[in-house]
């Protein structure tokens, strides 16, 4: 197995404040010094805000699992994404968020994942047809197309070939590439009345997405009223009621939720799958082990239960989520004065939980930059999976679609690897958009296996 580290090229140490700001303007990852991959905590104080990046497992546990109400979502997230997500479950806090989760969570429980598996398989087969005989392919576009197809089939029982679905997909492509992870006024916690000077392209894409989603939601409301709606995820959530208050989502609220389902279920899955395919090309030995594991499986008729027969493929996808977590950083704020190690964080301070740093932390993981799917069978890997692995967050705010994402990732990785061998054409450079993407895409050469 290759031991060449799968890490970004730049981890600048010894860079002053001005240099750090210049690097931050280029990309968040480019500004991250090597010492942050060794530190338990890093404190930043400015005239505008104080922030605490925490890598110490017990502190991460405190924020996400033990006392989540004391560390609500930072308004910076809402400030950045509200044009698209409105008041969705991704950005809300307190009782509003709890009510939203009580309505949403049942749609992802029990046998719901098995119900969605058929849509995943159909989207995967459609992707294999589109890819044909392979060649040099920009995989980020293809995986975005594929995972968008999955989410549309799952949410609204329509393939991406549907005109509205295709338009939403293109609008999300435009939005994702124009919307930064954070905006500067939000980062500085400036008052809401100060203009944000948002990207015109980003605002136009968000407005277009919401207009298109509104058409889908209103049409589904009508079909529900007529009793002819398919029993898919959108119908389940639109018909669900909060067991405490008895109310469900109105049309505007449903548009907010569909927007985050699409962003979380499409963008994050596309990011993870494209990096997984890159890592298979990066390590041909691992790639061959995946190919051997899935050889002979009838992908046209594969069943949900067969995923349990792909433990190494699952380990590859889990390792991808460690090295290239789709959501690289999560931001909370302190609801009251808080002690972190030997520091006192004032009320309203920013708390940054960074899977990007935590998953590559030199004091936690054995050889943290190595791509090693077998690490999950070691004692160190098992310990770190419990204490230092949060690709879907953790605690009450863990992503409700985490099981969905794992099943989807393993299935699609298996389907693609069974048909193609992957080779690197250009080394990708990870950058932080809304999710972890490659600066110039991920260009791979796909070779049909019967031609190998």
């Amino acid at each position: 197995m290759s031991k060449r580290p799968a890490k970004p090229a730049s981890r600048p140490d010894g860079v002053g404040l001005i240099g750090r700001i210049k690097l931050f303007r280029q990309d968040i990852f480019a500004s991250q010094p090597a010492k942050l991959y060794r530190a338990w905590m890093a404190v930043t104080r400015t005239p505008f805000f104080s922030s605490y990046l925490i890598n110490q497992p017990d502190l991460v546990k405190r924020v996400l699992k033990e006392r989540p109400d004391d560390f609500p979502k930072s308004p910076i997230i809402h400030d950045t994404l509200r044009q698209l997500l409105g008041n969705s479950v991704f950005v809300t806090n307190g009782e509003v968020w709890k009510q939203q989760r009580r309505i949403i969570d049942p749609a992802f429980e029990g046998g719901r994942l098995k119900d969605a598996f058929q849509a995943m398989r159909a989207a995967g087969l459609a992707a294999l047809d589109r890819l044909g005989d392979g060649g040099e392919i920009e995989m980020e576009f293809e995986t975005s197309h594929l995972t968008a197809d999955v989410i549309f089939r799952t949410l609204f029982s329509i393939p991406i070939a549907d005109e509205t679905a295709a338009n939403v997909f293109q609008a999300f492509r435009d939005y994702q590439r124009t919307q930064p992870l954070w905006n500067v006024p939000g980062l500085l916690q400036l008052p809401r009345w100060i203009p944000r000077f948002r990207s015109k392209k980003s605002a136009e894409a968000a407005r277009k997405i919401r207009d298109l989603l509104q058409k889908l939601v209103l049409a589904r409301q009508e079909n529900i009223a007529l009793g002819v709606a398919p029993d898919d995820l959108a119908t389940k959530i639109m018909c669900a009621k909060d067991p405490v208050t008895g109310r469900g989502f109105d049309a505007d609220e449903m548009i907010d939720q569909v927007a985050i389902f699409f962003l979380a279920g499409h963008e994050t899955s596309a990011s993870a799958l494209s990096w997984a395919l890159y890592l298979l090309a990066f390590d041909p030995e691992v790639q061959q082990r995946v190919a051997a594991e899935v050889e002979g499986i009838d992908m046209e008729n594969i069943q949900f239960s067969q995923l349990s027969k792909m433990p190494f493929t699952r380990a590859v996808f889990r390792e991808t989520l460690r090295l290239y977590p789709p959501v690289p950083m999560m931001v909370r704020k302190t609801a009251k004065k808080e002690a972190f190690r030997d520091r006192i964080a004032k009320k309203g301070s920013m708390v940054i939980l960074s899977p990007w740093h935590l998953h590559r932390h030199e004091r936690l993981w054995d050889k943290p930059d190595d791509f090693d799917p077998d690490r999950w069978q070691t004692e160190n890997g098992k310990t770190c999976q419990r204490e230092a692995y949060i690709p879907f967050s953790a605690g009450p705010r863990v992503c409700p679609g985490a099981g969905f994402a794992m099943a989807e990732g393993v299935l699609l990785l298996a389907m693609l690897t069974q048909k193609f061998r992957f080779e690197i054409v250009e080394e990708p450079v990870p950058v932080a958009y809304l999710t972890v993407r490659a600066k110039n895409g991920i260009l791979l050469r796909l070779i049909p296996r019967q031609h190998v």
Side-chain angles (χ1 to χ4, degrees), residues 85-297:
L85 301 183
N87 209 35
S88 81
V89 69
F90 186 72
V91 298
T92 53
N93 286 303
E95 289 305 314
V96 173
W97 171 80
K98 290 176 182 178
Q99 177 177 277
Q100 290 173 334
R101 284 295 295 256
R102 289 195 298 266
I103 297 172
I104 290 169
D105 285 356
F108 291 92
E109 292 174 351
R112 304 301 192 190
L113 182 53
K114 294 181 181 179
D115 295 340
F117 189 77
Q118 184 176 351
M120 297 179 193
R121 181 182 60 202
L125 293 172
L128 295 180
D129 286 341
R130 283 195 305 273
L131 290 169
D133 292 329
E136 290 190 3
I137 305 292
E138 201 291 282
M139 292 310 303
E140 284 193 335
F141 175 84
E142 292 298 334
T143 59
S144 292
H145 194 280
L146 169 52
T147 58
D149 196 8
V150 170
I151 203 67
F152 271 114
R153 290 173 189 262
T154 305
L155 265 173
F156 289 106
S157 300
I158 55 175
I160 201 168
D162 177 90
E163 182 179 359
T164 301
N167 288 337
V168 174
F169 166 64
Q170 185 55 54
F172 258 98
R173 289 277 299 172
D174 295 340
Y175 183 82
Q176 199 273 139
R177 288 289 183 175
T178 57
Q179 177 59 59
L181 187 63
W182 297 340
N183 64 60
V184 173
L187 181 63
L188 299 181
Q189 301 188 51
L190 301 182
R192 292 290 294 271
W193 55 264
I194 294 180
R196 281 350 194 203
F197 303 107
R198 300 178 190 279
S199 160
K200 184 178 179 181
K201 289 183 178 180
S202 175
E204 289 175 348
R207 185 165 53 251
K208 182 177 181 180
I209 291 166
R210 290 187 65 86
D211 287 346
L212 290 165
L213 294 180
Q214 182 182 45
K215 293 179 182 178
L216 290 170
V217 168
L218 293 179
R220 178 53 56 88
Q221 277 188 330
E222 183 177 344
N223 286 339
I224 290 172
L226 294 172
V228 295
D231 186 29
D232 52 23
L233 193 58
T235 297
K236 290 182 175 72
I237 294 173
M238 291 174 74
C239 292
K241 303 296 182 185
D242 177 5
V244 175
T245 66
R247 71 178 299 270
F249 293 131
D250 62 26
D252 288 340
E253 291 171 322
M254 191 63 196
I255 293 168
D256 293 346
Q257 308 311 328
V258 171
I260 187 55
F261 294 154
F262 198 91
L263 183 64
H266 153 242
E267 277 296 330
T268 58
S269 294
S271 169
L273 184 59
S274 60
W275 285 110
L277 295 170
Y278 157 70
L279 287 170
L280 291 186
F282 172 85
D283 194 325
E285 181 182 335
V286 169
Q287 182 178 166
Q288 187 52 43
R289 288 175 65 184
V290 173
E293 184 172 73
V294 304
E295 185 178 6
I297 296 176

Side-chain angles (χ1 to χ4, degrees), residues 414-425:
M415 296 178 81
L416 290 163
T417 307
Q418 187 186 71
K419 182 172 181 179
F420 296 108
R421 179 163 62 87
F422 308 99
E423 296 178 350
I424 296 173
V425 177

